[in-house]
């Protein structure tokens, strides 16, 4: 930022403070006969605050005082207030769909109703425990070759588990008329690379609590306390190695740093240890064409790790990735463990959201088009 930019911003700030502190400024003032009520919301303002020393308090103070953060949220704003009201509306839709699932002739209603019934069936979910993961855990346990390892990672990516790296399809950032596969850094259980390397007391404590959480997941899967602790250390070591080659949050602000178009021949030159054509076949893209390798350094290191890290360590890592990604949908012991770390420790949320909210969020993520169809039909109508 140059001196001219600083000067311009200083002048603008001074002008703003002057304008809000004059007696002529009000929520009902007019410009050319047009009301300003839609621009300044006087009901949210704390006019006892000095706008020039704390403009945020001046503009939002009354709203902040009247809207404390709910116990089941880490943050709250006017947008979240709208979301809360909308969840009530969606709940009524889902409950109605669930009540008439068998009788409904609307496919979207049958789908939403069945999904909601399944998610709200706490008795069955508690009885099942980790059983829904049995087939996927068996696939991991059966890994005996590097080729099978790559195949299981591809299956994880197909079902929403971000093991080792992130894979998805999105618009080409430089040619938005097309969608292309995207490969990006990932595979971490903590929010970003800094959590693995910062040495302040708070971050060190978070790392310790994360390892304790990972050990708890292994215990819930049936490992002994001693084995679970060992497995947590294995996971932490692999993730730390991945974090070391991950870009920082600051570096990720540069869009050019995350754009590297390649094809199968190009990625194979990047790192030859992994047969990437096999990976793309496993995810259902035998001929992927061009794709974006967002972070080549990371993908190259991931490939070297696939070739060198002992398979037993990969099995441990993949078990944790699987159960961590699905913990919110399992029985309460998994749900509570996940919330205690990611909700309370990392986000500062005091209480777990009620089940109906969590189920609706999952429905909106998984079959949002069907839920949206029912929403439009109820609240908008053909007219």
């Amino acid at each position: 930022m140059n001196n001219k930019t600083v000067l311009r911003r200083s002048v603008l700030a001074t002008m703003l403070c002057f304008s809000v502190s004059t007696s002529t400024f009000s929520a009902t003032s007019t410009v050319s006969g047009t009301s300003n009520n839609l621009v300044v919301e006087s009901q949210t303002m704390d006019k006892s605050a000095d706008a020039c020393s704390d403009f945020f308090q001046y503009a939002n103070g009354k709203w902040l005082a009247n809207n404390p953060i709910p116990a089941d949220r880490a943050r709250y704003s006017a947008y979240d207030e709208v979301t809360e009201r909308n969840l009530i509306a969606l709940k009524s839709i889902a409950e109605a769909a669930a009540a008439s699932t068998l009788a409904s002739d609307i496919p979207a209603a049958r789908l939403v109703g069945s999904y909601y019934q399944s998610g709200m069936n706490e008795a069955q979910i508690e009885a099942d425990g980790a059983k829904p993961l049995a087939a996927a855990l068996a696939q991991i346990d059966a890994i005996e070759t590097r080729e099978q390892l790559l195949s299981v990672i591809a299956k994880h990516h197909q079902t929403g588990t971000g093991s080792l790296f992130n894979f998805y399809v999105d618009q080409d950032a430089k040619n938005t008329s097309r969608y292309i596969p995207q490969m990006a850094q990932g595979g971490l259980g903590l929010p970003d690379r800094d959590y693995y390397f910062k040495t302040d007391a708070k971050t060190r404590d978070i790392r310790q609590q994360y390892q304790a959480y990972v050990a708890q997941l292994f215990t819930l899967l049936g490992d002994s306390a001693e084995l679970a602790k060992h497995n947590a250390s294995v996971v932490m070591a692999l993730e730390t190695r991945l974090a070391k080659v991950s870009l920082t949050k600051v570096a990720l602000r540069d869009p050019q740093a995350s754009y590297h178009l390649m094809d199968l021949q190009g990625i194979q030159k990047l790192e030859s240890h992994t047969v990437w054509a096999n990976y793309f076949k496993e995810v259902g893209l035998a001929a992927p064409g061009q794709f974006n390798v967002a972070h080549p350094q990371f993908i190259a290191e991931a490939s070297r790790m696939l070739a060198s890290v002992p398979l037993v360590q990969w099995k441990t890592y993949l078990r944790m990735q699987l159960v961590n990604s699905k913990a919110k949908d399992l029985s309460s012991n998994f749900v509570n463990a996940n919330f205690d770390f990611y909700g309370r420790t990392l986000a500062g949320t005091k209480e777990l959201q009620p089940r109906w909210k969590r189920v609706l969020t999952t429905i909106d993520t998984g079959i949002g088009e069907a839920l949206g169809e029912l929403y439009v039909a109820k609240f908008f109508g053909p007219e």
Side-chain angles (χ1 to χ4, degrees):
M1 184 182 299
N2 58 41
N3 291 334
K4 290 184 179 179
T5 302
V6 173
L7 179 59
R8 284 199 301 271
R9 292 187 177 180
S10 298
V11 171
L12 285 171
T14 302
M15 291 172 65
L16 179 60
C17 286
F18 176 78
S19 68
V20 300
S21 61
T22 60
S23 59
T24 58
F25 181 87
S26 72
T28 56
S29 63
T30 60
V31 178
S32 301
T34 303
S35 172
N36 255 351
N37 279 331
L38 296 179
V39 179
V40 180
E41 299 181 8
S42 59
Q43 70 272 20
T44 71
M45 300 169 69
D46 175 10
K47 295 185 180 179
S48 66
D50 181 357
C52 291
S53 61
D54 191 347
F55 188 75
F56 183 81
Q57 177 65 25
Y58 176 85
N60 305 297
K62 189 178 293 186
W63 189 92
L64 293 170
N66 294 333
N67 293 274
I69 298 176
D72 64 353
R73 286 184 174 270
R75 61 181 298 279
Y76 199 64
S77 70
Y79 297 103
D80 297 298
E81 185 182 9
V82 173
T83 298
E84 286 293 315
R85 292 201 300 267
N86 201 48
L87 280 172
I88 300 296
L90 292 175
K91 183 184 180 186
S92 68
I93 291 172
E95 288 179 339
S100 60
T101 297
L102 297 178
S104 177
D105 59 354
I106 303 174
R110 292 198 300 271
L111 182 60
V112 170
S114 297
Y115 205 132
Y116 191 72
Q117 282 181 331
S118 174
M120 295 300 293
N121 190 352
E122 292 187 72
Q124 185 64 54
I125 292 169
E126 289 302 309
D128 285 346
K131 287 181 182 178
L133 302 182
L137 288 169
Q139 287 180 337
I140 294 171
D141 189 57
I143 293 173
E144 294 182 351
T145 66
R146 304 286 168 176
E147 290 75 18
Q148 291 172 337
L149 170 62
L150 190 64
S151 175
V152 169
I153 290 173
K155 287 181 171 63
H156 280 200
H157 292 166
Q158 285 182 309
T159 56
T161 297
S163 298
L164 187 56
F165 59 91
N166 291 324
F167 178 82
Y168 54 97
V169 174
D170 202 356
Q171 282 179 306
D172 183 339
K174 293 187 178 183
N175 180 9
T176 55
S177 64
R178 68 174 184 172
Y179 281 77
I180 58 174
Q182 312 271 344
M183 301 173 71
Q185 65 186 43
L188 307 181
L190 289 169
D192 64 69
R193 77 180 304 281
D194 286 350
Y195 282 84
Y196 294 85
F197 300 113
K198 290 177 68 175
T199 58
D200 60 281
K202 182 179 180 180
T203 306
R204 290 199 306 269
D205 182 59
I206 288 174
R207 281 198 294 269
Q208 291 177 353
Q209 292 189 62
Y210 175 61
Q211 284 192 260
Y213 162 66
V214 173
Q216 186 178 6
L217 290 183
F218 283 120
T219 301
L220 292 173
L221 288 178
D223 293 357
S224 67
E226 183 178 357
L227 178 59
K229 185 176 180 180
H230 167 75
N231 286 341
S233 67
V234 170
V235 169
M236 194 66 180
L238 285 178
E239 290 187 3
T240 301
R241 184 171 171 181
L242 291 173
K244 190 174 183 179
V245 290
S246 299
L247 295 185
T248 66
K249 292 177 74 172
V250 173
L252 288 170
R253 294 174 185 171
D254 176 9
Q256 300 294 340
S258 298
Y259 188 85
H260 305 88
L261 277 186
M262 295 187 186
D263 54 19
L264 283 176
Q265 185 177 6
I267 194 174
Q268 207 61 56
K269 290 180 180 178
L270 178 68
E271 178 49 60
S272 61
H273 287 96
T274 302
V275 182
W276 289 107
N278 291 344
Y279 168 81
F280 279 97
K281 288 178 184 177
E282 291 289 347
V283 294
L285 291 171
Q290 282 190 317
F291 47 86
N292 179 34
V293 180
H295 310 113
Q297 181 182 359
F298 182 95
I299 297 300
E301 177 65 3
S303 178
R304 287 188 287 269
M305 291 173 66
L306 284 170
S308 61
V309 172
L311 291 178
V312 65
Q313 292 185 17
W314 277 122
K315 291 183 182 184
T316 298
Y317 169 81
L318 292 177
R319 287 175 71 212
M320 185 272 168
Q321 282 285 312
L322 175 67
V323 67
N324 189 41
S325 70
K326 310 302 181 186
K328 294 180 180 179
D329 301 320
L330 299 174
S331 54
S332 58
N333 47 4
F334 289 94
V335 171
N336 292 334
N338 181 273
F339 174 74
D340 190 52
F341 178 70
Y342 288 106
R344 286 195 179 93
T345 299
L346 283 185
T349 311
K350 296 178 181 178
E351 294 180 4
L352 181 68
Q353 286 191 333
R355 173 169 287 277
W356 67 268
K357 284 187 179 181
R358 290 180 279 131
V359 173
L360 280 175
T361 300
T362 305
I363 291 175
D364 195 28
T365 301
I367 54 169
E369 291 83 358
L371 184 60
E373 179 182 330
L374 301 181
Y375 183 93
V376 170
K378 179 171 182 177
F379 293 104
F380 291 89
E383 68 278 10

XYZ file of all heavy atoms in Angstrom, residues 181-184 257-263 266-267 270 280 291-297 299-300:
187
model
N -11.624 -31.503 -13.465
C -11.194 -32.069 -12.186
C -10.171 -31.153 -11.511
O -9.402 -30.455 -12.181
C -10.554 -33.405 -12.579
C -11.137 -33.733 -13.916
C -11.332 -32.409 -14.595
N -10.176 -31.171 -10.186
C -9.262 -30.349 -9.400
C -8.590 -31.226 -8.338
O -9.261 -31.959 -7.626
C -10.020 -29.224 -8.686
C -10.976 -28.443 -9.557
C -10.344 -27.257 -10.239
O -9.269 -26.804 -9.864
N -11.023 -26.703 -11.235
N -7.275 -31.125 -8.248
C -6.507 -31.830 -7.210
C -5.801 -30.772 -6.368
O -5.086 -29.926 -6.903
C -5.482 -32.777 -7.838
C -6.097 -33.825 -8.745
S -4.835 -34.783 -9.634
C -4.145 -35.764 -8.304
N -6.011 -30.821 -5.044
C -5.468 -29.771 -4.187
C -4.972 -30.361 -2.873
O -5.322 -31.479 -2.495
C -6.530 -28.711 -3.907
N -1.189 -19.177 -7.485
C -0.466 -20.245 -6.783
C -1.253 -21.546 -6.762
O -0.693 -22.609 -6.456
C -0.152 -19.804 -5.350
N -2.536 -21.479 -7.088
C -3.380 -22.672 -7.054
C -3.946 -23.016 -8.434
O -5.019 -23.613 -8.546
C -4.543 -22.477 -6.059
O -4.052 -22.294 -4.746
N -3.212 -22.658 -9.465
C -3.693 -22.936 -10.819
C -2.548 -23.473 -11.664
O -1.625 -22.741 -12.027
C -4.287 -21.683 -11.463
C -4.964 -21.950 -12.789
C -6.286 -22.364 -12.840
C -4.274 -21.792 -13.996
C -6.918 -22.614 -14.052
C -4.889 -22.041 -15.212
C -6.210 -22.457 -15.234
O -6.824 -22.713 -16.435
N -2.613 -24.766 -11.980
C -1.591 -25.397 -12.814
C -2.269 -26.464 -13.667
O -2.461 -27.606 -13.235
C -0.483 -26.029 -11.961
C 0.151 -25.071 -10.991
N -0.344 -24.854 -9.721
C 1.229 -24.248 -11.125
C 0.401 -23.964 -9.108
N 1.352 -23.573 -9.932
N -2.653 -26.090 -14.894
C -3.313 -27.036 -15.783
C -2.350 -28.136 -16.220
O -1.194 -27.870 -16.581
C -3.851 -26.325 -17.023
C -5.210 -25.632 -16.926
C -5.620 -25.129 -18.309
C -6.270 -26.546 -16.354
N -2.837 -29.376 -16.159
C -2.038 -30.522 -16.593
C -2.948 -31.545 -17.247
O -4.170 -31.429 -17.217
C -1.323 -31.172 -15.400
C -0.275 -30.315 -14.724
S 0.639 -31.245 -13.457
C 1.630 -29.920 -12.747
N -2.328 -32.565 -17.832
C -3.033 -33.758 -18.274
C -2.324 -34.958 -17.656
O -1.423 -34.787 -16.830
C -3.073 -33.844 -19.799
C -1.687 -33.760 -20.435
O -0.673 -33.998 -19.719
O -1.593 -33.455 -21.645
N 1.369 -34.873 -18.065
C 2.009 -33.837 -17.272
C 2.139 -34.209 -15.814
O 3.200 -34.001 -15.203
N 1.096 -34.776 -15.226
C 1.177 -35.130 -13.810
C 2.116 -36.309 -13.599
O 2.750 -36.428 -12.549
C -0.225 -35.433 -13.226
C -0.155 -35.449 -11.687
C -0.802 -36.729 -13.775
C -1.492 -35.603 -11.019
N 5.431 -34.929 -13.253
C 5.573 -34.260 -11.964
C 6.120 -35.200 -10.907
O 7.000 -34.842 -10.124
C 4.206 -33.700 -11.528
C 4.138 -32.990 -10.173
C 4.927 -31.695 -10.219
C 2.674 -32.715 -9.818
N -7.420 -42.028 -11.732
C -8.551 -41.407 -12.425
C -9.572 -42.458 -12.873
O -10.784 -42.199 -12.860
C -8.057 -40.576 -13.605
C -7.568 -39.215 -13.210
C -6.215 -38.974 -13.013
C -8.461 -38.178 -13.011
C -5.758 -37.719 -12.623
C -8.024 -36.918 -12.632
C -6.670 -36.685 -12.424
N -6.844 -31.096 -16.319
C -7.310 -30.901 -14.948
C -6.346 -29.963 -14.239
O -5.220 -29.729 -14.706
C -7.430 -32.236 -14.201
C -6.241 -33.144 -14.346
C -5.139 -33.046 -13.503
C -6.211 -34.117 -15.343
C -4.042 -33.881 -13.641
C -5.111 -34.962 -15.493
C -4.029 -34.851 -14.636
N -6.783 -29.415 -13.137
C -5.959 -28.471 -12.385
C -5.284 -29.168 -11.218
O -5.957 -29.659 -10.308
C -6.827 -27.318 -11.863
C -6.010 -26.318 -11.044
O -4.838 -26.084 -11.334
N -6.622 -25.743 -10.022
N -3.963 -29.211 -11.255
C -3.196 -29.661 -10.089
C -2.870 -28.387 -9.319
O -1.873 -27.703 -9.586
C -1.917 -30.414 -10.508
C -1.134 -30.865 -9.276
C -2.282 -31.625 -11.360
N -3.729 -28.046 -8.384
C -3.631 -26.744 -7.723
C -2.298 -26.549 -7.036
O -1.701 -25.467 -7.094
C -4.779 -26.588 -6.716
N -1.788 -27.604 -6.410
C -0.568 -27.471 -5.610
C 0.405 -28.605 -5.967
O 0.439 -29.649 -5.300
C -0.914 -27.500 -4.118
C -2.021 -26.534 -3.775
N -3.279 -26.940 -3.347
C -2.069 -25.177 -3.867
C -4.036 -25.882 -3.161
N -3.341 -24.805 -3.475
N 1.188 -28.423 -7.033
C 2.063 -29.484 -7.541
C 3.058 -30.003 -6.510
O 3.315 -31.219 -6.458
C 2.786 -28.808 -8.718
C 1.865 -27.703 -9.137
C 1.231 -27.213 -7.881
N 3.632 -29.114 -5.707
C 4.602 -29.556 -4.709
C 3.960 -30.529 -3.728
O 4.554 -31.546 -3.351
C 5.176 -28.345 -3.962
C 6.223 -28.716 -2.910
C 6.732 -27.499 -2.148
O 6.329 -26.371 -2.404
N 7.618 -27.728 -1.196
N 1.203 -32.453 -4.273
C 0.848 -33.703 -4.955
C 2.089 -34.555 -5.197
O 2.048 -35.789 -5.084
C 0.107 -33.404 -6.275
C -1.224 -32.684 -5.991
C -0.141 -34.680 -7.051
C -2.189 -33.464 -5.115
N 3.211 -33.916 -5.507
C 4.454 -34.661 -5.711
C 4.889 -35.356 -4.417
O 5.296 -36.521 -4.423
C 5.552 -33.731 -6.209
